[in-house]
Amino acid sequence: MVMEEALPTYQSMANWFESARDVTGADGTAWARWICRWSAEENRHGDVLNRYMYLSGRLDMRQVERTVHRLISSGMAMHAPVSDTV
């Protein structure tokens, strides 16, 4: 749930792969569309889990929000991949 807060970063990194080449975030290539749909679906999972944890009272949501804030404020070094071949 916490890691999904960084989905925009993960999507941006995936867009750098040569097969996606999604510079604008709205490219029509198959991989670019898949990356957008994947991140949208993962975001929905995070939202549902967050709401469940909030309503069930199983977590200290204040601490969760602090953790999310630390994750986002620490940033992430984004480096273009050397190659997207496996």
Side-chain angles (χ1 to χ4, degrees):
M1 180 174 72
V2 172
M3 287 183 58
E4 288 179 347
E5 293 293 333
L7 275 172
T9 303
Y10 305 147
Q11 181 177 353
S12 295
M13 290 177 68
N15 286 342
W16 285 8
F17 285 102
E18 189 174 328
S19 56
R21 291 186 209 168
D22 190 3
V23 179
T24 65
D27 199 328
T29 65
W31 274 114
R33 288 191 322 267
W34 184 88
I35 291 167
C36 286
R37 291 176 182 152
W38 167 78
S39 60
E41 183 64 22
E42 288 301 315
N43 186 56
R44 291 175 54 88
H45 295 161
D47 290 346
V48 168
L49 186 57
N50 186 303
R51 183 56 51 115
Y52 172 76
M53 292 299 174
Y54 172 77
L55 293 173
S56 70
R58 293 177 182 249
L59 291 177
D60 177 358
M61 293 307 289
R62 185 179 177 123
Q63 188 59 40
V64 170
E65 291 303 319
R66 286 181 178 160
T67 303
V68 167
H69 181 74
R70 281 194 301 271
L71 169 74
I72 294 171
S73 65
S74 66
M76 184 172 181
M78 293 178 48
H79 303 284
V82 176
S83 173
D84 65 346
T85 58
V86 178

